[in-house]
Each structure stands twice: as C-alpha cells, then as structure tokens.
Amino acid sequence: MTKRLRLLPVTTTVLLALALAGCGDDPGDERDGGAWADGRSKAPATSEAAPAEGPPKAGKSGSTPRESPSTPPFVLPTKKTSAPAARKVVDAFKAAGLKVPDPRDRSKDCGPNGTGVGCAQLMVTDAVSVYVFPDEASATNQTDVWGTKAYRAGAVVLNYLGTRTSAAEQKRYNDVLAKLG
C-alpha cells in the first residue's frame, strides 16, 4: 500500500471536522437577509420592542400581558342557593368541635389563574379544604379526580390532599357536611 492511501482517511477526517465547524450558528451571520419565513423582517437583537399602539395606560407598566380584547373576562361561577356556603361549612365544623386551623377564603383561586377547577367558593384550612361548585355534576367530576382524598355531599367537596388529617377525623368532617345537606 502506498503512503497516499494511508493519508486518505486522515485527510478526510480533518476536512470533515473543518466543514462541520463552519456549520455552526453564527449570530452575526444574516444569510437570510434578516427576514422570517413569512417575509416580515427581524428586529435587530439590540433594539427594544416597538411601543404598543396608543399611549400606555397609567399604572399598567410592568403588568402581565392581557388576553385579546375579544376574549370576555372570566367570571367565577355562582353556587346554587340550596348549597351551603363554604364559610358556613367551616363554621359548622368549628361548632361540632372539629379543628379548622387558619381558615382562609381562597375563592379567587377557583378561576383560571388559581387551581382552575371551576368552583364557586373555596375555604382552605390546614385540616381540610371546602370547595363549593355551581352544580353537583362539577362536584362529582372533581371528586373523581381527587379520589379517596375527597368527599362530596351535593355540590360541596371536602379535599384532604396535602393535609395530615387522619381517616377517623376525615369521617367526622364528612359526617358534619352530610348533616348540612
């Protein structure tokens, strides 16, 4: 075998490495003329975004983007008048001698920016969370999602996820809710 034939694999490897090194993404290289695939031109990397149409609204700087003006605002569903209010359920637990440490009204978390489960009211304690849904079907669906860590009576669901409430204590909470009907 000649010396040239032995150098062929080495030369090929070096040339291939050089070719691949030249295929990297160079941010300064604008081969496409700075245009997106749809023909719009790209903004330079150092420029700031163009201001929104119209003057900025007072007190809105640094706020999160809003949805399209055609999107209606989210309105929390309302509970049926026959269903007890979440606060009434927590008060019933307290009256029955059950622990309701640190009760907090978290109804605002029922919507899309919170838990998004579609509840109408939510009271959270360290022992149990009380969800009141607009109807029994929604309550049933959510109870199915939470499984054995939830109890439903009508449109009200008790959730024990993330608590240290024992099974015996859970039964006591469930019984009080069942009597509220």
Side-chain angles (χ1 to χ4, degrees), residues 50-75:
E53 293 181 23
K57 295 181 181 176
K60 294 291 183 182
S61 63
S63 65
T64 57
R66 295 181 150 207
E67 290 187 25
S68 164
S70 64
T71 303
F74 178 79
V75 177

Side-chain angles (χ1 to χ4, degrees), residues 47-160:
S47 70
E48 293 183 15
E53 293 181 23
K57 295 181 181 176
K60 294 291 183 182
S61 63
S63 65
T64 57
R66 295 181 150 207
E67 290 187 25
S68 164
S70 64
T71 303
F74 178 79
V75 177
L76 283 176
T78 56
K79 72 173 193 67
K80 287 187 176 180
T81 55
S82 60
R87 171 62 74 180
K88 182 178 178 184
V89 174
V90 171
D91 290 345
F93 292 157
K94 192 172 189 174
L98 295 169
K99 296 176 185 176
V100 286
D102 194 21
R104 302 166 305 279
D105 184 350
R106 302 297 301 189
S107 296
K108 66 179 178 129
D109 290 338
C110 289
N113 294 332
T115 58
V117 296
C119 55
Q121 296 178 350
L122 170 59
M123 284 292 296
V124 177
T125 73
D126 293 342
V128 62
S129 296
V130 180
Y131 291 80
V132 180
F133 287 89
D135 53 50
E136 288 188 36
S138 300
T140 301
N141 290 340
Q142 195 58 49
T143 304
D144 291 344
V145 170
W146 287 328
T148 60
K149 286 295 195 173
Y151 173 80
R152 181 188 67 82
V156 180
V157 177
L158 303 181
N159 182 352
Y160 301 101

Side-chain angles (χ1 to χ4, degrees), residues 5-31:
L5 289 177
R6 281 187 239 149
L7 287 177
L8 187 60
V10 173
T11 306
T12 305
T13 303
V14 170
L15 288 174
L16 185 59
L18 287 173
L20 290 175
C23 290
D25 185 23
D26 184 9
D29 189 13
E30 296 273 334
R31 290 187 185 140

